[in-house]
Structures are given as structure tokens and as C-alpha cells.
């Protein structure tokens, strides 16, 4: 595929579709939304508003990092603090699919309000082929898939969705980023799910439990830096496990699973063979930096039968 021509075609399509109207870009900082935002910015310039929804489910200092990176590209990013709304929507929910639906409804409601306040008519987002495939197969409903599951964005939220990358898988999206001369730090980032750390928190997603996952993911990312991989992160289990204090007293604590996989298109994946000393450093830091943890596990599951993320 000629990725430069693909990008030029998408830029022209967005110009023709939006015309003199206004559009909003749904920017999360991940590869897909970043590439979609750059395409939209080149197409629309000042007619585009780029919005980052701080849903409280992001990695450590993610909003600040995204704003800095896009400011360097000349793209102004408006950060909307909606963490309380997402945690309210997720309160009491433990079923994985219900979590995804609650996140999706809140996500589009917040963007619908942003669209109305800005007089925009279009929402541009980084849906890719894998999102549609997994949703249609019933593996899991991706939050950024609407038309494919029979939900009208126009009727339900008041805007029209534009998806410039929906024909591509992850390698193609990265190639578009390269063709657009984006910084490698943006188009080569590890995948990060739309519902964020909610996909790595089994059981209820409270601010306290999400903070545990955030710290654990930071440890895993730091310790596996330099290892060739597709994706790596940590997961907080809903169950608790018996531990022992330094005084020999019994206590119950959190269980953390470490996940590191190799993959091409995220359709299949295999566990990465991490060095033993690296795994030891990871578990030592977990106990030291997250005192509630009593068990650290390494997930060896391939996809299939597992999925990469946990919900």
C-alpha cells in the first residue's frame, strides 16, 4: 500500500466531508487516535478542535505528556476533566462487557456535550479494523464502535463520526504515522485500550483500585524498557490472596498479574520470554511500592484462547 497516498486521500475526504463546518478530534494519545488527529489537523486546521478526555483511567501523567507532544506539532489540545463522571458510571459494575458499555456511553456523552458547546458537527476518531472485527465477532465490544453495532451517533449523541483509519490494522496505522513524519514516540507507542486502566482492573473500578493498577503498570513498563514486545502492562485481580507480614502475621492483599506479549496485528499473540532477573525486579518493586500487594504472577497465556487485555 502507498501509505502517503492513503493519508492524502483521507485528508481530502475529511475536507470534502466537513467542508466549512467544525469538527472535534477524539484524542487519547494512543497510536490510532494520534494518527487520526494529525490527519484531521492537516485536513481542517483551525476548523478542528482536539479534545483529550481525562477519564481518570489513564497511565501515569498521560494527559500532560499528550499535551506536550501535540503542542510541539502545533496542535492545541483541550483537556476535559471528566474523571468523576466515569467513576460514577463504573461504580458497582464488575461484569467486563457492562464496564465497556458504561465507559462507551459516558465517553460519547462527554464528547456529545463538547460537540454541542463548540457548534461542531463531526467527531473524528481512530477506530481501526481490529476494533470492528472483535466487536462483530463478539469477543468484546470496543468503545469506539457505534455504527457497526447499530448505534446512531447522530441520533444518540448529536454528531456524525468520521473514521479515517477503519480499514487498517495496527501496522498500517504505524506506517501512516511514519508517512506523515510524526514523531516515532507517537506512532510507535504500545497500544493502550480506549477504556484505559478499566480493562486492567478486574472487579469494581474505584479511584483507589485504579491507582494501584496505574502504579503497577508504570513499574512493568519501566522494567521492560528495551525489550522487544508488542504490549506490556499489569492487571489487578478482583480476588485477594493470603500474604504474611515481616512479623509473621497473616494478611490478605492484592494480586497483580504481569502481562507482556509479542504480536503483529493483535489478532493473535504469544507471551514474551522475559529474563528471570527482570521478573524478579518487577515483583520486588511491586511489593515495595504497592504495599497492598501479596502476590505477583506472570501471565503466559497466548491469544487465542486468551485475549491480550483482561476485559
Amino acid at each position: 500500500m502507498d501509505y502517503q497516498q492513503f493519508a492524502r486521500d483521507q485528508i481530502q475526504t475529511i475536507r470534502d466531508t466537513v467542508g466549512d463546518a467544525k469538527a472535534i478530534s477524539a484524542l487519547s494519545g494512543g497510536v490510532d487516535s494520534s494518527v487520526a488527529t494529525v490527519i484531521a489537523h492537516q485536513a481542517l486546521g483551525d476548523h478542528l478542535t482536539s479534545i483529550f478526555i481525562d477519564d481518570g483511567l489513564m497511565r501515569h501523567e498521560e494527559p500532560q505528556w499528550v499535551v506536550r507532544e501535540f503542542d510541539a506539532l502545533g496542535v492545541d489540545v483541550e483537556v476535559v476533566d471528566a474523571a468523576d463522571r466515569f467513576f460514577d458510571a463504573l461504580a458497582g459494575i464488575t461484569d467486563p462487557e457492562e464496564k465497556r458499555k458504561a465507559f462507551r456511553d459516558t465517553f460519547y456523552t462527554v464528547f456529545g456535550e463538547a460537540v454541542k458547546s463548540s457548534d461542531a458537527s463531526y467527531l473524528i476518531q481512530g477506530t481501526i479494523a481490529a476494533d470492528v472485527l472483535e466487536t462483530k465477532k463478539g469477543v468484546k465490544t470496543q468503545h469506539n464502535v457505534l455504527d457497526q453495532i447499530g448505534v446512531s451517533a447522530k441520533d444518540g449523541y448529536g454528531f456524525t463520526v468520521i473514521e479515517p483509519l477503519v480499514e487498517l490494522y495496527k501496522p498500517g496505522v504505524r506506517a501512516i504515522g511514519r508517512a506523515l513524519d510524526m514523531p516515532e514516540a507517537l506512532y510507535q507507542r504500545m497500544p493502550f485500550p480506549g477504556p484505559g486502566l478499566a480493562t486492567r482492573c478486574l472487579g469494581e473500578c474505584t479511584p483507589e483500585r485504579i491507582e494501584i493498577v496505574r502504579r503497577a503498570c508504570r513499574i512493568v513498563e519501566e522494567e521492560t524498557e528495551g525489550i522487544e514486545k508488542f504490549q506490556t502492562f499489569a492487571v489487578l485481580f478482583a480476588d485477594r490472596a493470603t500474604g504474611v507480614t515481616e512479623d509473621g502475621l497473616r494478611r490478605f492483599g492484592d494480586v497483580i498479574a504481569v502481562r507482556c506479549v509479542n504480536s503483529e496485528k493483535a489478532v493473535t499473540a504469544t507471551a514474551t520470554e522475559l529474563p528471570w532477573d527482570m521478573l524478579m525486579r518487577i515483583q520486588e518493586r511491586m511489593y515495595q511500592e504497592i504495599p497492598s500487594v501479596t502476590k505477583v504472577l506472570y501471565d503466559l497465556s497466548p491469544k487465542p484462547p486468551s485475549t491480550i487485555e483482561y476485559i
Side-chain angles (χ1 to χ4, degrees), residues 202-213:
L202 305 185
E204 186 178 11
C205 294
T206 65
E208 296 76 18
R209 301 191 79 233
I210 290 296
E211 182 57 31
I212 291 172
V213 181

Side-chain angles (χ1 to χ4, degrees), residues 258-305:
V258 176
R259 185 81 160 130
C260 188
V261 299
N262 292 331
S263 180
E264 183 67 23
K265 296 180 179 180
V267 177
T268 61
T270 56
T272 306
E273 190 173 339
L274 296 180
W276 185 255
D277 60 344
M278 181 178 290
L279 290 171
M280 290 300 97
R281 287 197 305 272
I282 289 172
Q283 60 92 22
E284 287 171 3
R285 285 189 62 185
M286 292 287 184
Y287 300 133
Q288 292 170 0
E289 299 175 30
I290 313 175
S292 65
V293 173
T294 56
K295 299 284 186 185
V296 179
L297 317 174
Y298 187 56
D299 186 342
L300 300 175
S301 310
K303 178 182 180 180

